[in-house]
Amino acid sequence: MIDRRSVLVAAATLTSACAAGVRPGGPSGPEAASTFVTVRGTALRRRGEPYRYAGANIWYGAWLGADTAYGNRARLIRELDRLQAIGIRNLRVLASAELSPLKNSITPGFRDRTANYNQDLLKGLDWMLAEMAKRDMTAVLYLTNFWEWSGGMMTYLYWVNGGNYIDMNDPAHPWPEFADRNAAFYTNTQAQMMYRDYIRNIVQRTNTVTGRPYATDPTIMAWQLANEPRPGGSDAVAVPNLPAFYRWVDQTARYIKAMDPNHLVCTGSEGLKGSIEREQVLIDSHSTPAIDYLTTHIWPNNWSWMNAADLPGTYDAGAAKVQTYIDTHVRIATQLGKPLVIEEFGYPRDGADAFAPEIPTTFKDRFYKQIYTAIEADVARGGPLVGSNFWAWNGEARTPHADHRFQRGDLGYMGDPPHEPQGWYGIFDTDASTLAVVRAHAAALAQA
C-alpha cells in the first residue's frame, strides 16, 4: 500500500527535480549510464543522448503474447521483427482492459470487477516487454480507456453504479451523451479505488519472464493515465467538471510516481480535441510537474477535415488544418517547456469504405509524409516534437469477414480496434509504399 509518507517524499523529490530543470524519469547516477528515458527541458534523453523515435501503436501486444488459445507468440515475434526492420523504436501498448458488457469491447480483459486479475494476459504483457527489450524498443503503457473498445471508464462506472451503462454510438444515446456520462469517472470514489488498485498491481508487478520489476525496467518509457481522457463531451458537462479532471490528472500521476520514480508519466490526451477545443484546458491539464510530456492525436477523417469519398478534392484543405493543429501543439508544448509526441495519427486508404490491403494508400502516404516532415523540421530547429506513433500496426493479420467487422472470438488482431472496420487505418505488412515512408522517417531521425 502507498502510505502518506511515501506520497510526501515522492512529491518532494518531484518538486526538487523540477526546480533543477530535470523531471524524474531516470535513476540516480550518471545520465550517460541510464537506459531509462528521461526528460530535459523539451527533449527526451536516453543513454546521455537525445531520444527521438518513430513509433507505432500495437494495442493487442499482450493478447498475442499470452500463452493461451487466443495468444500467438510466433506471430508477435514476426511482427516485432517487421517493426524493428523499418526502424520503429517505441510501441504504445494497451496494458488494461476491463471485462465489460459494452457492445464493442475486447475480450478477454485484464480484469473484471474483482481484484483477481487475468494472469494469462498479464504474462502476455510480460512476454511482450521481454521481446521488446531484446530489440531495444521502449513501451508506453496505457492504464485505462475513455472509449468503450477495451471496457474503460464506462465499465468502471457500471461496476459501481448498480449496472448502468450506455454503448458508444447507440442511437438512443447520441453524442455527446457517452462522453458526458464518462465524466462521472473522475469523481466516483469507488471507481477510482478500483482503478488505482489495478494501477498499483501493474506498476508494482514483477515481470515473470525477466524477473525484473516493472518499476525498474527501462523497456518501459512511460505510464499513461488513459487512452484519450476528456473532461466530458459537451460544454455543459465538461466545463463544470474541469476542476475534478485536473485533480484526477495530477493526483493519479503523483500516485504512479510515488511507486515508480524511474518512469515518465503522461495523460494520453488527444490534445485540443480532448480539451473541449480550448487551449487553456490543454495547458492547465498538463501544467502539473507530475506530467512529463504532452501528447496529441490527429484524425482528419474522424474530425471531418476531409472526405474519404473525395480525397483528391478535399485532401489539401484537410492538410492545412493538420498543419495548424500541429503548429498549435508545438507552441503550447514550447510554452509549457515539455516535449511533445504525436502518438496517434491515422488516415484511410484511397476511397470510402476501403479496408482491404490491396486498395492503394496514395493519400495515406501523403498524410504520413506531412506528419513526419513536420517532426523532422521541428527537430532541426530544436523544438519540442520528439516522436510519433502511427495508428496502427495490422501486420500480417487479415479479416476473414466480408464486411470487415470484428466478431467476438476473432484472433487475427489488427491495429483497428473491435469497434472499427478491420483495415480502416492500420498498416499491413504488404503496404510497401507506406512502409517505405515510415522507414525513411526513422532513418532521418536516427541521423538527426
Side-chain angles (χ1 to χ4, degrees), residues 433-446:
S433 61
T434 310
L435 295 174
V437 172
V438 176
R439 186 182 295 108
H441 172 63
L445 284 188

Side-chain angles (χ1 to χ4, degrees), residues 56-71:
N57 280 272
I58 181 168
W59 67 264
Y60 53 84
W63 279 259
L64 286 187
D67 188 17
T68 62
Y70 58 81

Side-chain angles (χ1 to χ4, degrees), residues 212-278:
R212 186 160 198 169
Y214 275 28
T216 65
D217 185 355
T219 305
I220 297 170
M221 180 180 109
W223 300 107
Q224 194 162 86
L225 306 188
N227 177 55
E228 300 191 337
R230 295 179 172 207
S234 67
D235 284 1
V237 170
V239 172
N241 196 47
L242 285 173
F245 181 68
Y246 299 150
R247 186 165 54 250
W248 171 78
V249 169
D250 177 61
Q251 293 182 355
T252 307
R254 290 179 184 272
Y255 177 69
I256 294 170
K257 285 184 176 291
M259 294 180 283
D260 175 9
N262 290 321
H263 291 113
L264 307 180
V265 177
C266 60
T267 62
S269 172
E270 299 153 275
L272 280 172
K273 282 290 182 179
S275 304
I276 51 175
E277 308 273 1
R278 289 167 167 83

Side-chain angles (χ1 to χ4, degrees), residues 130 133 138 165 206 254 301 305:
T138 59
Y165 72 94
T206 294
R254 290 179 184 272
N301 190 39
W305 287 359

Side-chain angles (χ1 to χ4, degrees), residues 163-179:
N164 297 313
Y165 72 94
I166 60 174
D167 280 308
M168 180 70 172
N169 296 320
D170 181 347
H173 300 282
W175 181 264
E177 188 173 350
F178 182 91

Side-chain angles (χ1 to χ4, degrees), residues 264-293:
L264 307 180
V265 177
C266 60
T267 62
S269 172
E270 299 153 275
L272 280 172
K273 282 290 182 179
S275 304
I276 51 175
E277 308 273 1
R278 289 167 167 83
E279 289 190 18
Q280 195 60 49
V281 172
L282 178 59
I283 292 166
D284 290 346
S285 58
H286 290 78
S287 293
T288 167
I291 294 298
D292 293 296
Y293 65 96

Side-chain angles (χ1 to χ4, degrees), residues 91-157:
L91 297 176
R92 184 167 175 257
V93 182
L94 180 61
S96 72
E98 297 74 29
L99 192 63
S100 177
L102 291 168
K103 180 179 178 182
N104 291 311
S105 57
I106 188 69
T107 58
F110 278 88
R111 67 163 303 171
D112 57 19
R113 72 175 68 216
T114 75
N116 296 317
Y117 301 141
N118 184 341
Q119 293 302 313
D120 287 334
L121 203 48
L122 287 167
K123 289 177 181 177
L125 183 59
D126 293 345
W127 205 85
M128 170 79 171
L129 290 170
E131 289 298 314
M132 288 179 63
K134 294 176 184 178
R135 295 160 178 82
D136 198 29
M137 293 177 171
T138 59
V140 175
L141 303 179
Y142 45 114
L143 297 167
T144 192
N145 198 345
F146 189 81
W147 307 114
E148 81 283 12
W149 56 268
S150 64
M153 295 179 184
M154 184 67 71
T155 300
Y156 276 110
L157 293 171

